[in-house]
Amino acid sequence: TLVCTVAEQSVLSVSIPGSVFGTNNAVRAILDVGEFASESVSSVLLKANFGSTKPVASIMIRPAAGINFMTGKIEILAVGDGATNAQRVSLGVNLIRDTTDIPSSVLLVLRSFNTGTAAEDSNAAIVLGLTSRESDNDATNRLQIATYVVEKIT
């Protein structure tokens, strides 16, 4: 569980072995968000990093104050873009408020998507990462990653 602060924090860092990408393979990281809470009116900046390209894609999410117990997923998809030194990387967030404690007529969904490109040598190991940074220092704001999966797609 990350207590959100104004300091950038690592959420995920995975080393992808050389030659996994080739010219058209892909790697996908899916992070299961066990809980996202925002007690104050603040924003969270998520950055997908790929090798030395930092960030390759970023998303700013800003829920309303007092939004607690959102769950969902964060997904990073990195795809070889026709050459061993060309990749396309996307970052997606899909969060929904846990509705067990609120009327069914109230629904809050946060969805965002961004994409970028990188020119990393995929014959060498590449670090795929995700960082998080809050716009204020509120210890009640948190991002809990329950689990994650990183998979190669051919």
Side-chain angles (χ1 to χ4, degrees), residues 38 40-45 60-63 133-136:
S38 178
S40 61
V41 179
S42 61
S43 56
V44 177
L45 177 63
M60 178 79 71
I61 52 176
R62 185 174 186 199
R133 184 172 60 97
E134 183 87 13
S135 64
D136 66 8

Side-chain angles (χ1 to χ4, degrees), residues 83-117:
T84 57
N85 65 344
Q87 300 85 24
R88 186 168 178 81
V89 181
S90 63
L91 172 62
V93 174
N94 188 5
L95 300 173
I96 188 166
R97 183 169 181 187
D98 181 351
T99 58
T100 57
D101 63 341
I102 60 174
S104 60
S105 62
V106 179
L107 180 63
L108 178 65
V109 177
L110 289 174
R111 289 191 178 123
S112 192
F113 179 83
N114 194 357
T115 189
T117 59

Side-chain angles (χ1 to χ4, degrees), residues 56-76:
V56 67
S58 60
I59 291 176
M60 178 79 71
I61 52 176
R62 185 174 186 199
I67 299 303
N68 293 315
F69 308 111
M70 295 188 81
T71 60
K73 72 176 182 176
I74 299 170
E75 183 174 317
I76 305 169

Side-chain angles (χ1 to χ4, degrees), residues 121-135:
D121 177 6
S122 65
N123 292 313
I126 299 172
V127 175
L128 178 66
L130 180 71
T131 61
S132 168
R133 184 172 60 97
E134 183 87 13
S135 64

